[in-house]
Amino acid sequence: MSTIIDRLSEGKFTLIAEIGVNYYDIAKKEGISAMDAAKLMVKEAKDAGIHAVKFQTYKAGTLAAKASPSYWDLTEESTTSQYELFKKFDSFGYEEYKELKNYCDEIGIEFLSTAFDYESADYLDELMEVYKISSSDLSNIPFIEYQAKKDKPILLSIGASELEEIERAVDTIRAHNDNQIILLHCVLEYPTPLEHANLLKIQTLKEQFTDLIIGYSDHTKPTESNDVIKTAYNLGAICVEKHFTLDKTLKGNDHYHAMDPDDARRILKDIETLDMIRGNKELKCLETEQTARLNARRSIVSNGLIKAGSEITESMLTYKRPGTGISPDRIHEVTGKKAAFDIADDTIITEDMLTD
């Protein structure tokens, strides 16, 4: 079973930590093996309350031509060739990811990894309950089709895309796969400036793809307020994927726009607070409003002395708090009746005071 799909099916906020290949730099910093660093990051994610961790599975030679230029902030990552960057982080294969999958199962957090080639897509199949397709492969229809045929739910990032491209990718998946699709709004800027986050796109995606779950893959730098993720959630993104690190000061790759465990804890706490504030959609008086409702609403009240036997007219009445008597919306049930006894001025009218 998939924690991600189970939670999303119930409308629960789901946070995915994209470890990616950040564990290589953590290993170097801590003086430990890449595997130990990857497991350390998984454990830290679990302890922070994160629901799933995601890696990136590729070989530089099948992912990028040697002439592929960079598209990231060179002040944070100075490597100018995609091939050279990816070559630094492509040593893991099936055995390593199987070990990580087993470790995730052991401590109780969902494992997944983005496949960037057919071989990876094949061997990850037995290790994952959900496939993740990168924005970079949105137009790679043969590869999308290949993964769709694995017949599993799919997270599909749609950064730097046009509507027609999203529709084509979704249609390709749907031709082979009836499982849940989660579209992740994403901006392919690393990091994404706040003014480019374009979160209203989430609302449009919800309107355009009513049968899909909408989420958000975030590349903005974390802030104390978590305004970006909170806004995304309020607009309908119930699944959020964000890069994850144990040290945001590290240069290179995906550390500088990643969340750390403390950021993740704040995000989850803030979403919990939002859920509390948002309540539910039911249009009814809250139980906690009942006392205020009774005392703040008005009752029909005598406007001067009403003598016993007098036929009551509207001019004999007014409307005042509290609402413990007959409600003003029943005025026509009171007028035309007679006073059963003398009713003093400024008295809340009740049923026993009236007679036919």
Side-chain angles (χ1 to χ4, degrees), residues 217-355:
S217 182
D218 181 38
H219 295 140
T220 65
K221 288 187 176 182
T223 61
E224 286 289 326
S225 65
N226 292 316
D227 283 343
V228 172
I229 290 177
K230 288 189 294 187
T231 301
Y233 180 59
N234 273 331
L235 289 170
I238 60 172
C239 180
V240 169
E241 172 191 85
K242 188 164 179 62
H243 285 274
F244 184 68
T245 184
L246 303 185
D247 186 351
K248 293 186 289 187
T249 68
L250 287 175
K251 288 285 186 182
N253 212 46
D254 292 321
H255 300 282
Y256 55 92
H257 56 86
M259 64 180 174
D260 64 17
D262 287 338
D263 292 320
R265 289 185 180 93
R266 281 198 307 275
I267 289 167
L268 291 167
K269 183 64 177 175
D270 285 350
I271 297 298
E272 184 180 329
T273 301
L274 280 179
D275 279 337
M276 177 187 67
I277 293 169
R278 292 183 352 162
N280 62 64
K281 297 179 179 179
E282 195 172 2
L283 295 175
K284 62 176 291 186
C285 176
L286 298 175
E287 189 61 36
T288 53
E289 295 178 296
Q290 291 293 347
T291 299
R293 171 190 170 98
L294 190 65
N295 288 292
R297 292 204 172 181
R298 302 193 190 206
S299 297
I300 298 173
V301 175
S302 58
N303 187 24
L305 172 65
I306 303 175
K307 298 292 260 180
S310 300
E311 183 177 325
I312 299 174
T313 64
E314 196 164 347
S315 64
M316 297 177 180
L317 306 171
T318 189
Y319 314 105
K320 295 184 180 182
R321 296 182 182 187
T324 53
I326 300 174
S327 172
D329 60 9
R330 296 176 57 200
I331 182 65
H332 296 300
E333 297 176 28
V334 175
T335 55
K337 296 285 182 73
K338 293 180 180 179
F341 45 79
D342 285 353
I343 302 173
D345 179 37
D346 201 36
T347 298
I348 295 172
I349 303 297
T350 56
E351 301 283 355
D352 63 308
M353 298 176 185
L354 307 174
T355 185

Side-chain angles (χ1 to χ4, degrees), residues 82 86-87 147 149 203 298 322 343-344:
Q82 291 183 53
F86 299 145
K87 192 65 182 171
Q147 293 177 88
K149 288 179 179 179
Q203 200 170 56
R298 302 193 190 206
I343 302 173

